[in-house]
Amino acid sequence: MDSTAKKDIRKFTLEQLEEFFIEKGEKKFRAKQVYEWLWNKSLKNFDDMSNISKETREMLKANFIINHIHVDLMQHSADGTIKNAVKLFDSKIVESVLIPTSKRITACVSSQVGCSLDCNFCATARLKRMRNLNPDEIYDQVVAIKEEAETYFNRPLTNIVFMGMGEPLLNYANVIEAIDKITSPEGLGMAARRITLSTVGIPKMIKKMADDEVKFNLAISLHSAINETRSQLMPINDVNPLEDLAEALKYWYQKTKRKVTYEYVIWDGINDNEEHARALAKFCKIIPSKVNIIQYNPIDEGEFRQASKDAVEMYVRILEQNGIVAKVRKSRGQDIDAACGQLANKNEVAQLE
Ligand code: SAH
């Protein structure tokens, strides 16, 4: 290896590291020790690897760097939610959120810097997509929140949701690699069933996930079960209409036998009538599913307003009449712009202005 061009050691698989160690005349098992320091213990410096000799550490330093993320700014909400602005190796910023409830501590992580989809109710859409996150950058967000859960709540991290910035299915390979590390014993050893991937619903990729036999949960940002309305809200629906989504979901259920969660915001004057509620109930019967009705988090002065309490109750009633479980979710972390759809690197933008 060329020692003038140091490589990011976490880009290497365990097998590759083992080969490297053998090549350097080191013992093979040392590679595994280093690998565990890097992933399971998330060390940021070679010098902290206490069971590795000084000589080997110097050799590693001469060949590699560790590109760890850095939490640039941490904000605490009055409701306990914590938002991290995370600086990446190239100084780009993404945000991740710790959401505490009585039973759970959930990490909400980003999969891309910005987002290429133009959902017009979402603040992240305004940032556009800058790049995909690497597997280690996704992993590190989880580690940062796991440490904060222990420090500030004295509790373990219990769940992970891919509901931060970006569309995880447009960065599929890296998201899968991150989840592999999160669930593996050399990584964090978390159970896949505690992980949920949320997507706008890209049919081709939902089928791929089914073929790959992924073990985590799937959530779809539906927001309308009527094509015309959904396309107005989420332009991706023009090329991936509800019929295609429905077909992909049937394939998913056939292969995985696991139900899906629909995320749904009810907006004043957009989807707050019975026609929309009935269309949702019908869509929910395609495969076993449940609905999370999420509160709209305002992102500007504008266009979109949360529907009335009556409209939300009407939806719940119609869904329940159809035997569908619907939960109304309270918004968390709104005061620090940490709620769904509010992640937009606001502090960084403010600094630039
Ligand atoms: N791209 C993925 C994950 C990121 S968004 C996806 O679309 O699922 C996470 C959730 O927040 C999605 O359900 C999204 O539709 C929702 N969301 C976006 N903007 C919102 C807003 N302003 N208020 C409430 N929910 C919002």
Side-chain angles (χ1 to χ4, degrees):
M1 193 182 293
D2 175 7
S3 64
T4 54
K6 291 189 195 179
K7 300 209 166 123
D8 179 358
I9 191 165
R10 291 194 302 167
K11 293 256 184 307
F12 291 75
T13 63
L14 175 59
E15 292 70 32
Q16 288 170 327
L17 276 189
E18 284 173 347
E19 265 170 43
F20 173 78
F21 270 68
I22 293 165
E23 206 179 281
K24 291 280 174 190
E26 296 264 351
K27 293 268 187 310
K28 184 179 161 194
F29 75 91
R30 294 274 173 226
K32 181 137 192 234
Q33 289 178 324
V34 168
Y35 193 82
E36 280 179 355
W37 282 121
L38 291 171
W39 293 105
N40 180 266
K41 308 220 174 48
S42 277
L43 285 198
K44 298 174 190 170
N45 295 304
F46 291 110
D47 282 334
D48 296 334
M49 300 184 174
S50 56
N51 59 357
I52 306 294
S53 72
K54 184 154 194 308
E55 209 183 7
T56 306
R57 293 194 316 248
E58 291 305 324
M59 182 278 285
L60 290 172
K61 278 195 261 178
N63 285 281
F64 299 111
I65 47 163
I66 305 174
N67 269 335
H68 218 279
I69 62 156
H70 166 76
V71 177
D72 213 31
L73 177 71
M74 198 198 296
Q75 286 174 281
H76 294 259
S77 158
D79 68 17
T81 302
I82 296 178
K83 180 168 84 171
N84 291 338
V86 165
K87 195 175 245 175
L88 310 171
F89 73 90
D90 57 357
S91 293
K92 293 205 163 38
I93 305 255
V94 291
E95 293 177 333
S96 19
V97 185
L98 177 158
I99 309 153
T101 64
S102 57
K103 293 200 193 99
R104 297 173 170 190
I105 292 202
T106 302
C108 173
V109 297
S110 295
S111 55
Q112 298 181 311
V113 187
C115 189
S116 60
L117 303 172
D118 278 319
C119 302
N120 48 35
F121 48 86
C122 179
T124 308
R126 316 241 157 121
L127 293 175
K128 304 300 168 201
R129 190 194 80 100
M130 286 169 253
R131 71 168 172 86
N132 284 336
L133 291 190
N134 296 323
D136 51 285
E137 292 170 328
I138 297 170
Y139 184 90
D140 289 354
Q141 291 176 68
V142 175
V143 171
I145 290 180
K146 182 176 146 61
E147 285 167 1
E148 288 165 8
E150 283 151 14
T151 308
Y152 296 99
F153 298 88
N154 203 12
R155 282 161 56 190
L157 176 67
T158 60
N159 295 74
I160 301 169
V161 293
F162 283 80
M163 295 187 190
M165 294 173 158
E167 169 49 47
L169 293 190
L170 293 179
N171 184 18
Y172 184 72
N174 291 353
V175 166
I176 293 293
E177 205 179 313
I179 293 178
D180 280 348
K181 290 254 160 54
I182 292 165
T183 52
S184 88
E186 286 91 27
L188 300 179
M190 282 185 71
R193 67 185 148 74
R194 298 192 168 275
I195 301 174
T196 300
L197 182 150
S198 173
T199 171
V200 291
I202 300 164
K204 195 174 83 186
M205 298 311 293
I206 292 173
K207 288 183 180 166
K208 170 134 180 62
M209 278 198 293
D211 286 337
D212 290 348
E213 297 179 16
V214 300
K215 298 284 181 280
F216 49 80
N217 305 301
L218 176 60
I220 308 281
S221 300
L222 195 63
H223 305 310
S224 174
I226 296 175
N227 269 323
E228 200 191 336
T229 308
R230 194 167 192 262
S231 287
Q232 278 166 12
L233 295 164
M234 308 167 73
I236 183 115
N237 192 70
D238 283 336
V239 265
N240 297 286
L242 289 162
E243 295 73 23
D244 296 357
L245 178 59
E247 194 211 309
L249 290 170
K250 281 187 206 158
Y251 188 83
W252 162 268
Y253 188 71
Q254 222 176 29
K255 287 237 161 178
T256 67
K257 293 281 171 287
R258 286 215 314 282
K259 69 165 128 181
V260 67
T261 302
Y262 298 120
E263 295 155 273
Y264 202 98
V265 176
I266 310 170
W267 287 282
D268 188 29
I270 294 177
N271 56 356
D272 59 346
N273 56 30
E274 279 205 27
E275 187 200 355
H276 274 89
R278 294 198 188 284
L280 173 61
K282 193 167 165 216
F283 196 86
C284 285
K285 289 184 181 170
I286 296 170
I287 63 164
S289 62
K290 60 178 178 153
V291 177
N292 276 344
I293 297 178
I294 49 185
Q295 199 182 324
Y296 174 59
N297 300 305
I299 58 164
D300 52 22
E301 303 304 307
E303 256 184 285
F304 292 96
R305 279 183 316 275
Q306 165 65 34
S308 68
K309 231 173 127 214
D310 285 352
V312 174
E313 281 166 11
M314 177 270 293
Y315 260 82
V316 172
R317 193 177 62 243
I318 289 179
L319 291 169
E320 280 175 356
Q321 279 166 359
N322 282 275
I324 293 143
V325 175
K327 291 219 172 77
V328 181
R329 300 277 178 200
K330 255 196 316 199
S331 176
R332 303 291 305 266
Q334 252 197 36
D335 56 340
I336 53 167
D337 290 313
C340 295
Q342 291 188 314
L343 302 184
N345 295 345
K346 222 177 182 176
N347 292 303
E348 191 198 15
V349 173
Q351 269 170 28
L352 292 175
E353 282 165 358

